Amino acid sequence: MKKQTTILLLGLLALYAVFTIINGRLENHTVNDSSYQKVDLSSCSLVDLDDDRVALTIPSEYVYGATPSDLEKTANELGYESIILNQDGSATYTITKEQHQTMLKDLAKGINEKLAAIPGSDKYDDISSIEANEDFTQYKVYLSTSTAEFNESMSVMLFKMYGTMYNCFNGVTDETIVIEYYNKNGDLIASYDSTPIEE
């Protein structure tokens, strides 16, 4: 039960909240690099407190309006030392290094599940497969067509979002996210070399 709660609160809950917003705008064709609220990564950090503990600060965009009591309840349920809501809306987790690794593992699981659901879906029916590296900064997208259609090219925003979120939870804010598209013959037809989503 505790493991399921961990996955829900730390991985899928955070992901689905962002997915709902971005996916809705993708479906309405109203999203691009300048048309939606980008994530301000300035507060994102990971600091070693000692040999066993870290302080992870995530931006307000990943807190989703949680109150101090909400965060305190979550910390108690998951056995964290604390989760504090900061004045700028960001939240600071004081957790063990093992708990942080579990957090990243659960987040990666949520992202990989979403990636696995994309190929052949109604919205991305021309995508046949997706390969991503461990920190979600490199993607290879394989198409069943000769060219990338509008929806397929719009998936760039999703991949940027996944990579930005995962790396922020790992305390990294300066990773470049590379997305490559290959046609049905295996030829590289498009490549996006993008900076993280940040104001």
Side-chain angles (χ1 to χ4, degrees), residues 12-51:
L12 302 182
L13 181 60
L15 281 167
Y16 290 147
V18 176
F19 290 160
T20 300
I21 296 170
I22 302 300
N23 284 340
R25 293 176 182 178
L26 282 167
E27 289 172 354
N28 294 325
H29 307 315
T30 59
V31 62
N32 55 46
D33 276 340
S34 61
S35 68
Y36 73 99
Q37 182 180 2
K38 297 181 180 181
V39 177
D40 180 1
L41 301 176
S42 61
S43 62
C44 185
S45 67
L46 181 66
V47 178
D48 284 342
L49 299 177
D50 52 42
D51 290 342

PDB file of all heavy atoms in Angstrom, residues 12-51:
ATOM      1  N   LEU A  12       2.870   9.605 -10.716  1.00  0.00           N
ATOM      2  CA  LEU A  12       1.764   9.760 -11.643  1.00  0.00           C
ATOM      3  C   LEU A  12       0.926  10.994 -11.371  1.00  0.00           C
ATOM      4  O   LEU A  12       0.453  11.643 -12.311  1.00  0.00           O
ATOM      5  CB  LEU A  12       0.885   8.504 -11.594  1.00  0.00           C
ATOM      6  CG  LEU A  12       1.620   7.210 -11.918  1.00  0.00           C
ATOM      7  CD1 LEU A  12       0.654   6.036 -11.900  1.00  0.00           C
ATOM      8  CD2 LEU A  12       2.292   7.299 -13.281  1.00  0.00           C
ATOM      9  N   LEU A  13       0.734  11.358 -10.117  1.00  0.00           N
ATOM     10  CA  LEU A  13      -0.069  12.542  -9.826  1.00  0.00           C
ATOM     11  C   LEU A  13       0.560  13.782 -10.449  1.00  0.00           C
ATOM     12  O   LEU A  13      -0.109  14.577 -11.108  1.00  0.00           O
ATOM     13  CB  LEU A  13      -0.215  12.726  -8.316  1.00  0.00           C
ATOM     14  CG  LEU A  13      -1.069  13.924  -7.872  1.00  0.00           C
ATOM     15  CD1 LEU A  13      -2.477  13.785  -8.418  1.00  0.00           C
ATOM     16  CD2 LEU A  13      -1.089  14.020  -6.359  1.00  0.00           C
ATOM     17  N   ALA A  14       1.849  13.941 -10.244  1.00  0.00           N
ATOM     18  CA  ALA A  14       2.547  15.091 -10.819  1.00  0.00           C
ATOM     19  C   ALA A  14       2.494  15.066 -12.333  1.00  0.00           C
ATOM     20  O   ALA A  14       2.221  16.073 -12.980  1.00  0.00           O
ATOM     21  CB  ALA A  14       3.992  15.112 -10.336  1.00  0.00           C
ATOM     22  N   LEU A  15       2.726  13.901 -12.908  1.00  0.00           N
ATOM     23  CA  LEU A  15       2.720  13.799 -14.360  1.00  0.00           C
ATOM     24  C   LEU A  15       1.349  14.073 -14.950  1.00  0.00           C
ATOM     25  O   LEU A  15       1.204  14.860 -15.884  1.00  0.00           O
ATOM     26  CB  LEU A  15       3.173  12.392 -14.778  1.00  0.00           C
ATOM     27  CG  LEU A  15       4.672  12.148 -14.742  1.00  0.00           C
ATOM     28  CD1 LEU A  15       4.954  10.665 -14.872  1.00  0.00           C
ATOM     29  CD2 LEU A  15       5.367  12.909 -15.839  1.00  0.00           C
ATOM     30  N   TYR A  16       0.320  13.446 -14.398  1.00  0.00           N
ATOM     31  CA  TYR A  16      -0.995  13.577 -14.996  1.00  0.00           C
ATOM     32  C   TYR A  16      -1.533  14.995 -14.902  1.00  0.00           C
ATOM     33  O   TYR A  16      -2.283  15.435 -15.769  1.00  0.00           O
ATOM     34  CB  TYR A  16      -1.978  12.592 -14.353  1.00  0.00           C
ATOM     35  CG  TYR A  16      -1.707  11.159 -14.707  1.00  0.00           C
ATOM     36  CD1 TYR A  16      -1.966  10.139 -13.817  1.00  0.00           C
ATOM     37  CD2 TYR A  16      -1.166  10.824 -15.951  1.00  0.00           C
ATOM     38  CE1 TYR A  16      -1.705   8.813 -14.148  1.00  0.00           C
ATOM     39  CE2 TYR A  16      -0.902   9.511 -16.288  1.00  0.00           C
ATOM     40  CZ  TYR A  16      -1.177   8.501 -15.379  1.00  0.00           C
ATOM     41  OH  TYR A  16      -0.911   7.202 -15.708  1.00  0.00           O
ATOM     42  N   ALA A  17      -1.164  15.705 -13.844  1.00  0.00           N
ATOM     43  CA  ALA A  17      -1.608  17.096 -13.730  1.00  0.00           C
ATOM     44  C   ALA A  17      -1.070  17.922 -14.892  1.00  0.00           C
ATOM     45  O   ALA A  17      -1.785  18.720 -15.490  1.00  0.00           O
ATOM     46  CB  ALA A  17      -1.159  17.683 -12.401  1.00  0.00           C
ATOM     47  N   VAL A  18       0.209  17.745 -15.213  1.00  0.00           N
ATOM     48  CA  VAL A  18       0.796  18.465 -16.340  1.00  0.00           C
ATOM     49  C   VAL A  18       0.288  17.903 -17.655  1.00  0.00           C
ATOM     50  O   VAL A  18      -0.022  18.648 -18.583  1.00  0.00           O
ATOM     51  CB  VAL A  18       2.332  18.399 -16.282  1.00  0.00           C
ATOM     52  CG1 VAL A  18       2.932  19.061 -17.516  1.00  0.00           C
ATOM     53  CG2 VAL A  18       2.845  19.102 -15.024  1.00  0.00           C
ATOM     54  N   PHE A  19       0.177  16.563 -17.761  1.00  0.00           N
ATOM     55  CA  PHE A  19      -0.294  15.943 -18.994  1.00  0.00           C
ATOM     56  C   PHE A  19      -1.662  16.486 -19.387  1.00  0.00           C
ATOM     57  O   PHE A  19      -1.930  16.761 -20.546  1.00  0.00           O
ATOM     58  CB  PHE A  19      -0.413  14.422 -18.824  1.00  0.00           C
ATOM     59  CG  PHE A  19       0.904  13.717 -18.719  1.00  0.00           C
ATOM     60  CD1 PHE A  19       0.970  12.463 -18.158  1.00  0.00           C
ATOM     61  CD2 PHE A  19       2.071  14.301 -19.170  1.00  0.00           C
ATOM     62  CE1 PHE A  19       2.178  11.797 -18.060  1.00  0.00           C
ATOM     63  CE2 PHE A  19       3.279  13.650 -19.068  1.00  0.00           C
ATOM     64  CZ  PHE A  19       3.329  12.392 -18.512  1.00  0.00           C
ATOM     65  N   THR A  20      -2.556  16.638 -18.410  1.00  0.00           N
ATOM     66  CA  THR A  20      -3.909  17.104 -18.697  1.00  0.00           C
ATOM     67  C   THR A  20      -3.879  18.483 -19.346  1.00  0.00           C
ATOM     68  O   THR A  20      -4.578  18.733 -20.329  1.00  0.00           O
ATOM     69  CB  THR A  20      -4.737  17.159 -17.401  1.00  0.00           C
ATOM     70  OG1 THR A  20      -4.802  15.847 -16.840  1.00  0.00           O
ATOM     71  CG2 THR A  20      -6.141  17.659 -17.691  1.00  0.00           C
ATOM     72  N   ILE A  21      -3.058  19.368 -18.811  1.00  0.00           N
ATOM     73  CA  ILE A  21      -2.963  20.726 -19.338  1.00  0.00           C
ATOM     74  C   ILE A  21      -2.353  20.726 -20.734  1.00  0.00           C
ATOM     75  O   ILE A  21      -2.915  21.280 -21.686  1.00  0.00           O
ATOM     76  CB  ILE A  21      -2.120  21.608 -18.400  1.00  0.00           C
ATOM     77  CG1 ILE A  21      -2.813  21.742 -17.035  1.00  0.00           C
ATOM     78  CG2 ILE A  21      -1.894  22.985 -19.016  1.00  0.00           C
ATOM     79  CD1 ILE A  21      -1.944  22.378 -15.980  1.00  0.00           C
ATOM     80  N   ILE A  22      -1.182  20.110 -20.869  1.00  0.00           N
ATOM     81  CA  ILE A  22      -0.469  20.157 -22.148  1.00  0.00           C
ATOM     82  C   ILE A  22      -1.192  19.355 -23.223  1.00  0.00           C
ATOM     83  O   ILE A  22      -1.327  19.808 -24.356  1.00  0.00           O
ATOM     84  CB  ILE A  22       0.967  19.647 -21.978  1.00  0.00           C
ATOM     85  CG1 ILE A  22       1.707  20.489 -20.934  1.00  0.00           C
ATOM     86  CG2 ILE A  22       1.704  19.672 -23.306  1.00  0.00           C
ATOM     87  CD1 ILE A  22       1.808  21.954 -21.288  1.00  0.00           C
ATOM     88  N   ASN A  23      -1.679  18.162 -22.866  1.00  0.00           N
ATOM     89  CA  ASN A  23      -2.361  17.352 -23.869  1.00  0.00           C
ATOM     90  C   ASN A  23      -3.609  18.047 -24.399  1.00  0.00           C
ATOM     91  O   ASN A  23      -3.918  17.970 -25.586  1.00  0.00           O
ATOM     92  CB  ASN A  23      -2.728  15.984 -23.293  1.00  0.00           C
ATOM     93  CG  ASN A  23      -1.532  15.064 -23.197  1.00  0.00           C
ATOM     94  OD1 ASN A  23      -0.528  15.262 -23.867  1.00  0.00           O
ATOM     95  ND2 ASN A  23      -1.632  14.050 -22.363  1.00  0.00           N
ATOM     96  N   GLY A  24      -4.330  18.746 -23.521  1.00  0.00           N
ATOM     97  CA  GLY A  24      -5.514  19.465 -23.966  1.00  0.00           C
ATOM     98  C   GLY A  24      -5.163  20.532 -24.978  1.00  0.00           C
ATOM     99  O   GLY A  24      -5.855  20.725 -25.977  1.00  0.00           O
ATOM    100  N   ARG A  25      -4.076  21.221 -24.754  1.00  0.00           N
ATOM    101  CA  ARG A  25      -3.658  22.283 -25.678  1.00  0.00           C
ATOM    102  C   ARG A  25      -3.104  21.696 -26.968  1.00  0.00           C
ATOM    103  O   ARG A  25      -3.253  22.279 -28.044  1.00  0.00           O
ATOM    104  CB  ARG A  25      -2.640  23.183 -24.996  1.00  0.00           C
ATOM    105  CG  ARG A  25      -3.257  23.962 -23.848  1.00  0.00           C
ATOM    106  CD  ARG A  25      -2.255  24.796 -23.100  1.00  0.00           C
ATOM    107  NE  ARG A  25      -2.895  25.482 -21.983  1.00  0.00           N
ATOM    108  CZ  ARG A  25      -2.265  26.249 -21.122  1.00  0.00           C
ATOM    109  NH1 ARG A  25      -0.965  26.443 -21.243  1.00  0.00           N
ATOM    110  NH2 ARG A  25      -2.895  26.814 -20.133  1.00  0.00           N
ATOM    111  N   LEU A  26      -2.472  20.525 -26.856  1.00  0.00           N
ATOM    112  CA  LEU A  26      -2.000  19.855 -28.077  1.00  0.00           C
ATOM    113  C   LEU A  26      -3.184  19.459 -28.953  1.00  0.00           C
ATOM    114  O   LEU A  26      -3.170  19.634 -30.170  1.00  0.00           O
ATOM    115  CB  LEU A  26      -1.176  18.618 -27.711  1.00  0.00           C
ATOM    116  CG  LEU A  26       0.258  18.878 -27.266  1.00  0.00           C
ATOM    117  CD1 LEU A  26       0.843  17.613 -26.648  1.00  0.00           C
ATOM    118  CD2 LEU A  26       1.120  19.326 -28.422  1.00  0.00           C
ATOM    119  N   GLU A  27      -4.215  18.916 -28.328  1.00  0.00           N
ATOM    120  CA  GLU A  27      -5.381  18.474 -29.090  1.00  0.00           C
ATOM    121  C   GLU A  27      -6.072  19.642 -29.785  1.00  0.00           C
ATOM    122  O   GLU A  27      -6.642  19.498 -30.859  1.00  0.00           O
ATOM    123  CB  GLU A  27      -6.354  17.750 -28.157  1.00  0.00           C
ATOM    124  CG  GLU A  27      -5.846  16.399 -27.694  1.00  0.00           C
ATOM    125  CD  GLU A  27      -6.728  15.778 -26.630  1.00  0.00           C
ATOM    126  OE1 GLU A  27      -7.677  16.456 -26.182  1.00  0.00           O
ATOM    127  OE2 GLU A  27      -6.466  14.631 -26.245  1.00  0.00           O
ATOM    128  N   ASN A  28      -6.019  20.821 -29.157  1.00  0.00           N
ATOM    129  CA  ASN A  28      -6.643  22.001 -29.747  1.00  0.00           C
ATOM    130  C   ASN A  28      -5.691  22.790 -30.638  1.00  0.00           C
ATOM    131  O   ASN A  28      -6.045  23.874 -31.115  1.00  0.00           O
ATOM    132  CB  ASN A  28      -7.167  22.916 -28.630  1.00  0.00           C
ATOM    133  CG  ASN A  28      -8.301  22.283 -27.861  1.00  0.00           C
ATOM    134  OD1 ASN A  28      -9.112  21.565 -28.421  1.00  0.00           O
ATOM    135  ND2 ASN A  28      -8.346  22.538 -26.559  1.00  0.00           N
ATOM    136  N   HIS A  29      -4.477  22.255 -30.822  1.00  0.00           N
ATOM    137  CA  HIS A  29      -3.467  22.898 -31.662  1.00  0.00           C
ATOM    138  C   HIS A  29      -3.155  24.315 -31.199  1.00  0.00           C
ATOM    139  O   HIS A  29      -3.002  25.226 -32.017  1.00  0.00           O
ATOM    140  CB  HIS A  29      -3.924  22.923 -33.124  1.00  0.00           C
ATOM    141  CG  HIS A  29      -4.322  21.581 -33.646  1.00  0.00           C
ATOM    142  ND1 HIS A  29      -3.582  20.440 -33.423  1.00  0.00           N
ATOM    143  CD2 HIS A  29      -5.401  21.187 -34.368  1.00  0.00           C
ATOM    144  CE1 HIS A  29      -4.182  19.406 -33.994  1.00  0.00           C
ATOM    145  NE2 HIS A  29      -5.280  19.823 -34.565  1.00  0.00           N
ATOM    146  N   THR A  30      -3.104  24.530 -29.886  1.00  0.00           N
ATOM    147  CA  THR A  30      -2.855  25.874 -29.373  1.00  0.00           C
ATOM    148  C   THR A  30      -1.579  25.946 -28.557  1.00  0.00           C
ATOM    149  O   THR A  30      -1.396  26.876 -27.780  1.00  0.00           O
ATOM    150  CB  THR A  30      -4.022  26.344 -28.485  1.00  0.00           C
ATOM    151  OG1 THR A  30      -4.178  25.436 -27.382  1.00  0.00           O
ATOM    152  CG2 THR A  30      -5.312  26.429 -29.275  1.00  0.00           C
ATOM    153  N   VAL A  31      -0.680  25.002 -28.722  1.00  0.00           N
ATOM    154  CA  VAL A  31       0.533  25.016 -27.915  1.00  0.00           C
ATOM    155  C   VAL A  31       1.761  25.054 -28.806  1.00  0.00           C
ATOM    156  O   VAL A  31       1.831  24.377 -29.822  1.00  0.00           O
ATOM    157  CB  VAL A  31       0.594  23.791 -26.968  1.00  0.00           C
ATOM    158  CG1 VAL A  31       0.636  22.499 -27.743  1.00  0.00           C
ATOM    159  CG2 VAL A  31       1.803  23.882 -26.049  1.00  0.00           C
ATOM    160  N   ASN A  32       2.698  25.905 -28.415  1.00  0.00           N
ATOM    161  CA  ASN A  32       4.029  25.887 -28.995  1.00  0.00           C
ATOM    162  C   ASN A  32       4.975  26.464 -27.948  1.00  0.00           C
ATOM    163  O   ASN A  32       4.576  26.678 -26.800  1.00  0.00           O
ATOM    164  CB  ASN A  32       4.088  26.674 -30.313  1.00  0.00           C
ATOM    165  CG  ASN A  32       3.583  28.094 -30.146  1.00  0.00           C
ATOM    166  OD1 ASN A  32       3.949  28.785 -29.197  1.00  0.00           O
ATOM    167  ND2 ASN A  32       2.739  28.520 -31.076  1.00  0.00           N
ATOM    168  N   ASP A  33       6.205  26.726 -28.302  1.00  0.00           N
ATOM    169  CA  ASP A  33       7.184  27.144 -27.307  1.00  0.00           C
ATOM    170  C   ASP A  33       6.812  28.441 -26.593  1.00  0.00           C
ATOM    171  O   ASP A  33       7.330  28.734 -25.526  1.00  0.00           O
ATOM    172  CB  ASP A  33       8.565  27.304 -27.957  1.00  0.00           C
ATOM    173  CG  ASP A  33       9.299  25.987 -28.034  1.00  0.00           C
ATOM    174  OD1 ASP A  33       8.932  25.081 -27.278  1.00  0.00           O
ATOM    175  OD2 ASP A  33      10.223  25.874 -28.840  1.00  0.00           O
ATOM    176  N   SER A  34       5.935  29.257 -27.166  1.00  0.00           N
ATOM    177  CA  SER A  34       5.621  30.537 -26.538  1.00  0.00           C
ATOM    178  C   SER A  34       4.155  30.680 -26.150  1.00  0.00           C
ATOM    179  O   SER A  34       3.752  31.725 -25.667  1.00  0.00           O
ATOM    180  CB  SER A  34       5.992  31.679 -27.485  1.00  0.00           C
ATOM    181  OG  SER A  34       5.256  31.576 -28.684  1.00  0.00           O
ATOM    182  N   SER A  35       3.342  29.637 -26.346  1.00  0.00           N
ATOM    183  CA  SER A  35       1.907  29.806 -26.159  1.00  0.00           C
ATOM    184  C   SER A  35       1.374  29.202 -24.870  1.00  0.00           C
ATOM    185  O   SER A  35       0.176  29.216 -24.644  1.00  0.00           O
ATOM    186  CB  SER A  35       1.151  29.168 -27.338  1.00  0.00           C
ATOM    187  OG  SER A  35       1.312  27.762 -27.304  1.00  0.00           O
ATOM    188  N   TYR A  36       2.209  28.657 -24.015  1.00  0.00           N
ATOM    189  CA  TYR A  36       1.720  28.167 -22.743  1.00  0.00           C
ATOM    190  C   TYR A  36       2.718  28.520 -21.648  1.00  0.00           C
ATOM    191  O   TYR A  36       3.847  28.889 -21.909  1.00  0.00           O
ATOM    192  CB  TYR A  36       1.483  26.655 -22.782  1.00  0.00           C
ATOM    193  CG  TYR A  36       2.739  25.824 -22.782  1.00  0.00           C
ATOM    194  CD1 TYR A  36       3.204  25.262 -21.596  1.00  0.00           C
ATOM    195  CD2 TYR A  36       3.456  25.600 -23.942  1.00  0.00           C
ATOM    196  CE1 TYR A  36       4.361  24.494 -21.586  1.00  0.00           C
ATOM    197  CE2 TYR A  36       4.606  24.842 -23.934  1.00  0.00           C
ATOM    198  CZ  TYR A  36       5.045  24.288 -22.753  1.00  0.00           C
ATOM    199  OH  TYR A  36       6.192  23.538 -22.759  1.00  0.00           O
ATOM    200  N   GLN A  37       2.242  28.457 -20.419  1.00  0.00           N
ATOM    201  CA  GLN A  37       3.084  28.833 -19.295  1.00  0.00           C
ATOM    202  C   GLN A  37       4.243  27.860 -19.162  1.00  0.00           C
ATOM    203  O   GLN A  37       4.053  26.675 -18.920  1.00  0.00           O
ATOM    204  CB  GLN A  37       2.268  28.845 -18.001  1.00  0.00           C
ATOM    205  CG  GLN A  37       3.074  29.277 -16.786  1.00  0.00           C
ATOM    206  CD  GLN A  37       2.245  29.277 -15.521  1.00  0.00           C
ATOM    207  OE1 GLN A  37       1.078  28.919 -15.548  1.00  0.00           O
ATOM    208  NE2 GLN A  37       2.854  29.667 -14.427  1.00  0.00           N
ATOM    209  N   LYS A  38       5.439  28.376 -19.288  1.00  0.00           N
ATOM    210  CA  LYS A  38       6.610  27.532 -19.168  1.00  0.00           C
ATOM    211  C   LYS A  38       6.992  27.366 -17.702  1.00  0.00           C
ATOM    212  O   LYS A  38       6.571  28.133 -16.846  1.00  0.00           O
ATOM    213  CB  LYS A  38       7.772  28.135 -19.958  1.00  0.00           C
ATOM    214  CG  LYS A  38       7.484  28.221 -21.457  1.00  0.00           C
ATOM    215  CD  LYS A  38       8.665  28.798 -22.209  1.00  0.00           C
ATOM    216  CE  LYS A  38       8.359  28.875 -23.693  1.00  0.00           C
ATOM    217  NZ  LYS A  38       9.496  29.418 -24.465  1.00  0.00           N
ATOM    218  N   VAL A  39       7.784  26.356 -17.443  1.00  0.00           N
ATOM    219  CA  VAL A  39       8.189  26.068 -16.072  1.00  0.00           C
ATOM    220  C   VAL A  39       9.397  26.916 -15.711  1.00  0.00           C
ATOM    221  O   VAL A  39      10.413  26.902 -16.404  1.00  0.00           O
ATOM    222  CB  VAL A  39       8.517  24.569 -15.911  1.00  0.00           C
ATOM    223  CG1 VAL A  39       9.012  24.289 -14.501  1.00  0.00           C
ATOM    224  CG2 VAL A  39       7.299  23.713 -16.231  1.00  0.00           C
ATOM    225  N   ASP A  40       9.281  27.662 -14.637  1.00  0.00           N
ATOM    226  CA  ASP A  40      10.393  28.451 -14.127  1.00  0.00           C
ATOM    227  C   ASP A  40      11.260  27.547 -13.266  1.00  0.00           C
ATOM    228  O   ASP A  40      10.876  27.164 -12.162  1.00  0.00           O
ATOM    229  CB  ASP A  40       9.864  29.629 -13.315  1.00  0.00           C
ATOM    230  CG  ASP A  40      10.980  30.503 -12.755  1.00  0.00           C
ATOM    231  OD1 ASP A  40      12.163  30.197 -13.017  1.00  0.00           O
ATOM    232  OD2 ASP A  40      10.661  31.477 -12.059  1.00  0.00           O
ATOM    233  N   LEU A  41      12.436  27.197 -13.775  1.00  0.00           N
ATOM    234  CA  LEU A  41      13.306  26.248 -13.088  1.00  0.00           C
ATOM    235  C   LEU A  41      14.265  26.900 -12.102  1.00  0.00           C
ATOM    236  O   LEU A  41      15.117  26.220 -11.537  1.00  0.00           O
ATOM    237  CB  LEU A  41      14.128  25.455 -14.124  1.00  0.00           C
ATOM    238  CG  LEU A  41      13.321  24.651 -15.137  1.00  0.00           C
ATOM    239  CD1 LEU A  41      14.258  23.993 -16.146  1.00  0.00           C
ATOM    240  CD2 LEU A  41      12.464  23.602 -14.461  1.00  0.00           C
ATOM    241  N   SER A  42      14.121  28.202 -11.868  1.00  0.00           N
ATOM    242  CA  SER A  42      15.099  28.896 -11.038  1.00  0.00           C
ATOM    243  C   SER A  42      15.136  28.388  -9.601  1.00  0.00           C
ATOM    244  O   SER A  42      16.165  28.465  -8.933  1.00  0.00           O
ATOM    245  CB  SER A  42      14.818  30.402 -11.047  1.00  0.00           C
ATOM    246  OG  SER A  42      13.524  30.681 -10.528  1.00  0.00           O
ATOM    247  N   SER A  43      14.016  27.865  -9.108  1.00  0.00           N
ATOM    248  CA  SER A  43      13.982  27.373  -7.734  1.00  0.00           C
ATOM    249  C   SER A  43      14.382  25.904  -7.616  1.00  0.00           C
ATOM    250  O   SER A  43      14.556  25.397  -6.506  1.00  0.00           O
ATOM    251  CB  SER A  43      12.585  27.559  -7.135  1.00  0.00           C
ATOM    252  OG  SER A  43      11.632  26.804  -7.864  1.00  0.00           O
ATOM    253  N   CYS A  44      14.514  25.232  -8.748  1.00  0.00           N
ATOM    254  CA  CYS A  44      14.805  23.802  -8.728  1.00  0.00           C
ATOM    255  C   CYS A  44      16.241  23.543  -8.272  1.00  0.00           C
ATOM    256  O   CYS A  44      17.189  24.100  -8.826  1.00  0.00           O
ATOM    257  CB  CYS A  44      14.590  23.223 -10.117  1.00  0.00           C
ATOM    258  SG  CYS A  44      14.777  21.446 -10.199  1.00  0.00           S
ATOM    259  N   SER A  45      16.395  22.700  -7.253  1.00  0.00           N
ATOM    260  CA  SER A  45      17.745  22.393  -6.765  1.00  0.00           C
ATOM    261  C   SER A  45      17.739  21.089  -5.983  1.00  0.00           C
ATOM    262  O   SER A  45      16.703  20.645  -5.475  1.00  0.00           O
ATOM    263  CB  SER A  45      18.273  23.526  -5.876  1.00  0.00           C
ATOM    264  OG  SER A  45      17.520  23.612  -4.681  1.00  0.00           O
ATOM    265  N   LEU A  46      18.913  20.489  -5.905  1.00  0.00           N
ATOM    266  CA  LEU A  46      19.122  19.278  -5.110  1.00  0.00           C
ATOM    267  C   LEU A  46      20.415  19.464  -4.328  1.00  0.00           C
ATOM    268  O   LEU A  46      21.481  19.605  -4.920  1.00  0.00           O
ATOM    269  CB  LEU A  46      19.214  18.046  -6.022  1.00  0.00           C
ATOM    270  CG  LEU A  46      19.402  16.700  -5.318  1.00  0.00           C
ATOM    271  CD1 LEU A  46      18.172  16.347  -4.491  1.00  0.00           C
ATOM    272  CD2 LEU A  46      19.679  15.602  -6.346  1.00  0.00           C
ATOM    273  N   VAL A  47      20.305  19.474  -3.001  1.00  0.00           N
ATOM    274  CA  VAL A  47      21.449  19.769  -2.146  1.00  0.00           C
ATOM    275  C   VAL A  47      21.684  18.607  -1.189  1.00  0.00           C
ATOM    276  O   VAL A  47      20.746  18.138  -0.526  1.00  0.00           O
ATOM    277  CB  VAL A  47      21.213  21.065  -1.337  1.00  0.00           C
ATOM    278  CG1 VAL A  47      22.399  21.341  -0.414  1.00  0.00           C
ATOM    279  CG2 VAL A  47      20.962  22.241  -2.278  1.00  0.00           C
ATOM    280  N   ASP A  48      22.909  18.127  -1.117  1.00  0.00           N
ATOM    281  CA  ASP A  48      23.274  17.121  -0.133  1.00  0.00           C
ATOM    282  C   ASP A  48      23.324  17.758   1.249  1.00  0.00           C
ATOM    283  O   ASP A  48      24.066  18.722   1.470  1.00  0.00           O
ATOM    284  CB  ASP A  48      24.640  16.510  -0.459  1.00  0.00           C
ATOM    285  CG  ASP A  48      24.588  15.518  -1.606  1.00  0.00           C
ATOM    286  OD1 ASP A  48      23.482  15.047  -1.927  1.00  0.00           O
ATOM    287  OD2 ASP A  48      25.645  15.208  -2.182  1.00  0.00           O
ATOM    288  N   LEU A  49      22.557  17.220   2.189  1.00  0.00           N
ATOM    289  CA  LEU A  49      22.574  17.727   3.561  1.00  0.00           C
ATOM    290  C   LEU A  49      23.613  17.003   4.406  1.00  0.00           C
ATOM    291  O   LEU A  49      24.246  17.600   5.274  1.00  0.00           O
ATOM    292  CB  LEU A  49      21.188  17.577   4.197  1.00  0.00           C
ATOM    293  CG  LEU A  49      20.061  18.342   3.494  1.00  0.00           C
ATOM    294  CD1 LEU A  49      18.729  18.056   4.176  1.00  0.00           C
ATOM    295  CD2 LEU A  49      20.348  19.842   3.490  1.00  0.00           C
ATOM    296  N   ASP A  50      23.740  15.720   4.151  1.00  0.00           N
ATOM    297  CA  ASP A  50      24.769  14.903   4.794  1.00  0.00           C
ATOM    298  C   ASP A  50      24.928  13.645   3.964  1.00  0.00           C
ATOM    299  O   ASP A  50      24.484  13.607   2.817  1.00  0.00           O
ATOM    300  CB  ASP A  50      24.411  14.594   6.268  1.00  0.00           C
ATOM    301  CG  ASP A  50      23.008  14.007   6.419  1.00  0.00           C
ATOM    302  OD1 ASP A  50      22.621  13.154   5.591  1.00  0.00           O
ATOM    303  OD2 ASP A  50      22.304  14.409   7.360  1.00  0.00           O
ATOM    304  N   ASP A  51      25.525  12.620   4.517  1.00  0.00           N
ATOM    305  CA  ASP A  51      25.785  11.405   3.746  1.00  0.00           C
ATOM    306  C   ASP A  51      24.511  10.680   3.346  1.00  0.00           C
ATOM    307  O   ASP A  51      24.514   9.881   2.401  1.00  0.00           O
ATOM    308  CB  ASP A  51      26.683  10.449   4.539  1.00  0.00           C
ATOM    309  CG  ASP A  51      28.102  10.964   4.658  1.00  0.00           C
ATOM    310  OD1 ASP A  51      28.477  11.849   3.861  1.00  0.00           O
ATOM    311  OD2 ASP A  51      28.836  10.492   5.557  1.00  0.00           O
TER     312      ASP A  51
END
